[in-house]
Amino acid sequence: MKKIALTLTAVILTLVGCKPNEENLKFTDKVEKAHHKQEFLAKEAVQFDLKLAFGGTERMDAKFTILTNSTKGIIEYKNGAKIIFDQDKVFYAATIPNEESVRFDAFTWEYFFLFPYKLMDPGTIWNSYDNIEKDQQNYLTEKLTFKSGTGDAPDDWYVVYADKKTNLLEKSAYIVTLKAGKKDAEKNPHAIQYLDYKEVDGIPIATKWVFWGWKEGKGLTEELGQATLTNIKFIKADAADFEPATDFKKK
């Protein structure tokens, strides 16, 4: 009897001891753990089909192949045209649907997909955020900014919401300064909502994105667009696939 009591006491102390450790984890640690970051990075590459529409008009229908370390990626359109990015270099076929937005397309959509695994990338700065929205009790919320010189758009910022029960990302407000200055971008912030999580090799991945307008203190406003992700799978990468054809343009 004494032995059983000691065993139960040890179990209780272990459980009690674990709880503060979990609670004391940083916001980014909680989210990365929930998204199985280490398991994700142990894979070589991920592939998925993305259908994206804004205002009822199709914006993109393409297959993405991305190295999980985010250094290289391929976007292949239905007509066979490709965008290939390698670090900060972008190569593309002349037949892609929208040449003007090639860098935006190369880096924006893959960043949204990889976002849960890039929270602690070099140049990221995290600060507390005073969430006063009516449903604020449901979320862990912090604000992400970037050091000068980080990426194509270091003036971008994100207000990131994680579900308080699961620690999975649910939404992220953001501004896009690549095509506009920070002052103009802050007049029209948007948000992406991550929905319909499904496990792929044990790793939770959102299979639906909804894009919204966003207002500080109020949160999501009007719906702007949606994206669906299908045929998500982890694959072995072939280095030759990331080599641009000789007639590709560079931007």
Side-chain angles (χ1 to χ4, degrees):
M1 190 71 178
K2 185 177 180 181
K3 192 172 184 180
I4 293 172
L6 287 172
T7 302
L8 287 172
T9 301
V11 170
I12 291 168
L13 287 173
T14 300
L15 291 172
V16 171
C18 287
K19 191 173 181 181
N21 289 337
E22 190 73 23
E23 289 176 350
N24 291 335
L25 286 175
K26 293 188 301 182
F27 174 84
T28 51
D29 291 335
K30 290 180 180 180
V31 174
E32 288 178 345
K33 183 178 179 181
H35 283 269
H36 298 256
K37 178 181 177 178
Q38 294 308 314
E39 292 85 347
F40 181 85
L41 293 178
K43 308 288 187 180
E44 188 174 359
V46 62
Q47 189 175 81
F48 57 91
D49 294 330
L50 177 72
K51 285 190 175 183
L52 174 67
F54 284 95
T57 301
E58 185 179 283
R59 173 67 173 78
M60 176 173 284
D61 185 359
K63 177 182 290 184
F64 282 67
T65 304
I66 309 167
L67 297 187
T68 58
N69 65 13
S70 75
T71 56
K72 296 181 181 182
I74 305 167
I75 303 173
E76 183 175 358
Y77 293 92
K78 293 297 183 182
N79 66 354
K82 293 180 181 179
I83 297 174
I84 297 176
F85 70 84
D86 183 347
Q87 303 285 355
D88 62 345
K89 298 186 290 292
V90 177
F91 307 90
Y92 62 98
T95 52
I96 64 169
N98 190 346
E99 187 172 345
E100 185 179 332
S101 65
V102 63
R103 284 192 70 86
F104 181 85
D105 287 337
F107 295 122
T108 300
W109 316 118
E110 62 92 20
Y111 186 78
F112 282 144
F113 179 86
L114 295 174
F115 192 49
Y117 320 105
K118 296 179 69 63
L119 304 181
M120 291 301 292
D121 272 7
T124 53
I125 302 170
W126 286 92
N127 287 294
S128 59
Y129 179 78
D130 185 17
N131 185 352
I132 59 171
E133 297 163 27
K134 62 182 180 181
D135 60 351
Q136 56 84 23
Q137 71 278 1
N138 298 328
Y139 300 101
L140 304 172
T141 314
E142 290 201 5
K143 187 170 185 178
L144 169 64
T145 57
F146 302 91
K147 293 179 181 177
S148 177
T150 303
D152 273 9
D155 287 333
D156 287 1
W157 53 250
Y158 294 79
V159 175
V160 184
Y161 305 72
D163 184 293
K164 192 174 282 188
K165 293 181 180 178
T166 65
N167 293 332
L168 292 172
L169 286 186
E170 184 171 315
K171 51 189 176 181
S172 179
Y174 61 91
I175 60 169
V176 177
T177 61
L178 186 62
K179 296 181 178 181
K182 184 178 180 181
K183 186 176 180 180
D184 287 336
E186 287 186 325
K187 294 176 183 176
N188 189 30
H190 293 165
I192 179 173
Q193 188 175 25
Y194 294 94
L195 299 171
D196 295 352
Y197 276 92
K198 294 180 181 177
E199 288 195 356
V200 180
D201 292 357
I203 298 170
I205 295 176
T207 61
K208 181 179 180 180
W209 301 344
V210 182
F211 294 90
W212 300 83
W214 181 86
K215 186 174 182 180
E216 189 163 12
K218 184 177 181 180
L220 305 180
T221 55
E222 73 283 3
E223 184 177 327
L224 304 174
Q226 290 194 9
T228 55
L229 291 79
T230 56
N231 300 319
I232 306 168
K233 57 186 175 182
F234 293 102
I235 63 170
K236 290 288 185 181
D238 187 339
D241 291 339
F242 297 90
E243 292 294 328
T246 55
D247 61 346
F248 273 26
K249 297 182 179 182
K250 182 180 177 181
K251 196 166 186 177

